[in-house]
Every structure is written in C-alpha cells, then in structure tokens.
Amino acid sequence: MAKILIVEDDEEIGMLEKDYLEISGYEVELVADGIRAKKLLLGGSYDLVILDLMLPGKNGYCICKEIREEIDIPIIMVTAKTESIDKIRGLGLGADDYVAKPFDPAELVARVKSHLSRYARLTNLTHNQDHLQVSHKDCAIVVGNLKIFANNWKVYIGESEIKFPNREFELLKFLAMNPNIVFSKEYLFEKIWGYDYIGDSATVTVHINRIREKIEEDSKNPQIIETVWGAGYRLNL
C-alpha cells in the first residue's frame, strides 16, 4: 500500500483529499505545518507528497527545493495560485505536477495514481545496453567528463556524484543513449512521462533546464544538451 503525505493547512481541504485517497486504498498522513512536514518527509518512507504552497513555518517552494535534494518521490503541488510563473517555479524546484484550487478530488486521485505508477515503472525499469557506448565493466555512458551509470542510477562529473531525481535521470540517460539526434519536446514527453501522465510538453523544458544546471559549465550557454530552435533538443557527443 502506497503511503502519501498531505501537507495542507486548510483542514477542510486536507480532510477532503485524505478521505478520497483513503477510499482509493492509500495510507495517508495529514500535516498542516511546513517545518514538521519537512522533518516527516526526510525521516519517513513516503511514496508521494501532496504539497500546498502557502504554509505556516515553511512554504511549499522551500520544502520542495530542500527535500528534492535528499529524496526522490513524486511531488504534487496544490495551490490557489494559477499564474504560469508559479507553475514554472514549482516545476523548476523539482515538483512533478501542479494542481490549482479549486479542483476535483477525483482528478487529484487520478494524478496520484498516474505518478505512482510512472515512478514504479521507472524504478523497476530493465536497462537495455545493446547499442550504448558503455564500458562492460561498469556500464557507464560517457559524455566528456560526464559518466552516467545506467544500472545503479548514478551520475558523476569527474569524481563528484550529482544527484538526479528519476525523471531527470531518465531524460538525461535517453538523450545520452541517442547522441547527436534531435528529439522534439513532444516526443521526449511521451517517451519519458508516457501517455498516462497528466501534463504537457512544457515539463520537458523545465527538466532540461534543471539537468543543464547540474552538468553544464555554463547552463546559459549549454554545450552538452543543445537546443535546436524549432525542432527540439540534442545531446552532443
């Protein structure tokens, strides 16, 4: 049974979310304070978090940024803010999805199921190594001083390990497995997120930017993952 943490200071909304998720078979814990939520997430074994933005103690943006550096679970932001910049900011900090209030609780449950299913597939994915430039000893995809270890989900620049959440890793690995080929945002979205994901291809841009910040010497002038204007993205090898 998947375990979900709801972080919501509006008791009525929080209990509504909790009821719908428990009816759907999930184990659910509800907390209203941002500081306590962070402690629970870093110390617990949750499979997904539903995170409000406006919270006492610590806001949802801060929690998202801080826990994303430590744990890799789906993060769904729930907020009354509907501006595109708020959505982009949340996704840029590591959120997987963004739901605006008011919302249909059944839609929230559908998104939870989609994210849990997708993360389970990513975690248990079997890796096909047939056409990769890999070392058979350590199964590393090498791009300059960047090494991607497909079997144990680790990425190194030189001797330093760089942390990547599941979807960032899958996106980087896919591009590295298929170097010098341009892929559209739409193709990458379908390939990495799948048809069952509720979202759009703008998510790809956010994740590409996060990857660049980790692997490029100058993320504003990327050399590894290049934008081909009007076409998509290409990893240069």
Side-chain angles (χ1 to χ4, degrees):
M1 179 188 296
K3 186 177 180 181
I4 298 170
L5 180 66
I6 298 173
V7 188
E8 172 62 67
D9 65 336
D10 186 313
E11 184 177 359
E12 185 175 347
I13 293 175
M15 289 304 300
L16 180 64
E17 294 172 355
K18 187 173 187 290
D19 288 344
Y20 266 79
L21 289 166
E22 286 181 338
I23 289 171
S24 299
Y26 299 109
E27 180 183 350
V28 183
E29 189 171 350
L30 175 61
V31 63
D33 178 79
I35 294 175
R36 175 165 167 72
K38 181 186 173 183
K39 290 180 180 178
L40 287 172
L41 286 164
L42 294 180
S45 55
Y46 298 96
D47 298 291
L48 180 144
V49 57
I50 298 172
L51 182 62
D52 189 29
L53 285 185
M54 307 306 293
L55 295 165
K58 187 181 289 286
N59 68 46
Y61 288 129
C62 290
I63 296 172
C64 182
K65 181 180 179 180
E66 292 168 8
I67 68 170
R68 183 50 87 205
E69 298 297 321
E70 302 293 332
I71 59 176
D72 185 17
I73 61 172
I75 300 173
I76 300 178
M77 285 188 166
V78 179
T79 178
K81 293 187 175 183
T82 58
E83 296 294 330
S84 295
I85 189 65
D86 295 312
K87 179 178 180 180
I88 293 170
R89 182 184 178 191
L91 294 172
L93 290 173
D96 295 277
D97 206 350
Y98 194 102
V99 182
K101 299 175 183 178
F103 57 86
D104 182 348
E107 178 188 349
L108 180 64
V109 172
R111 290 182 185 238
V112 166
K113 289 180 178 178
S114 175
H115 284 289
L116 288 172
S117 175
R118 180 62 183 170
Y119 262 65
R121 288 200 301 274
L122 287 174
T123 302
N124 296 302
L125 191 63
T126 56
H127 303 285
N128 184 346
Q129 304 293 327
D130 290 343
H131 62 290
L132 305 183
Q133 291 187 331
V134 301
S135 162
H136 294 291
K137 181 179 179 181
D138 57 16
C139 295
I141 306 171
V142 180
V143 184
N145 68 340
L146 179 70
K147 291 184 180 180
I148 304 163
F149 292 84
N151 287 337
N152 59 12
W153 293 59
K154 291 182 179 293
V155 178
Y156 287 83
I157 295 180
E159 300 300 319
S160 301
E161 183 179 357
I162 310 299
K163 297 293 186 181
F164 280 84
N166 277 343
R167 285 201 177 94
E168 286 182 33
F169 180 85
E170 283 293 317
L171 182 54
L172 174 62
K173 180 167 71 72
F174 176 78
L175 290 170
M177 289 168 62
N178 300 277
N180 306 317
I181 300 173
V182 178
F183 295 98
S184 69
K185 289 191 297 183
E186 291 74 20
Y187 181 88
L188 291 171
F189 180 78
E190 292 175 2
K191 184 70 177 178
I192 305 303
W193 280 262
Y195 291 100
D196 60 345
Y197 180 82
I198 303 171
D200 58 50
S201 60
T203 303
V204 174
T205 301
V206 173
H207 280 70
I208 289 289
N209 289 338
R210 290 216 305 262
I211 293 170
R212 282 171 170 166
E213 290 174 357
K214 296 177 180 179
I215 68 172
E216 300 278 1
E217 289 187 9
D218 180 3
S219 62
K220 297 186 184 301
N221 183 32
Q223 303 299 309
I224 299 174
I225 300 179
E226 180 183 359
T227 299
V228 180
W229 296 108
Y233 299 103
R234 172 178 61 212
L235 185 139
N236 295 315
L237 185 60

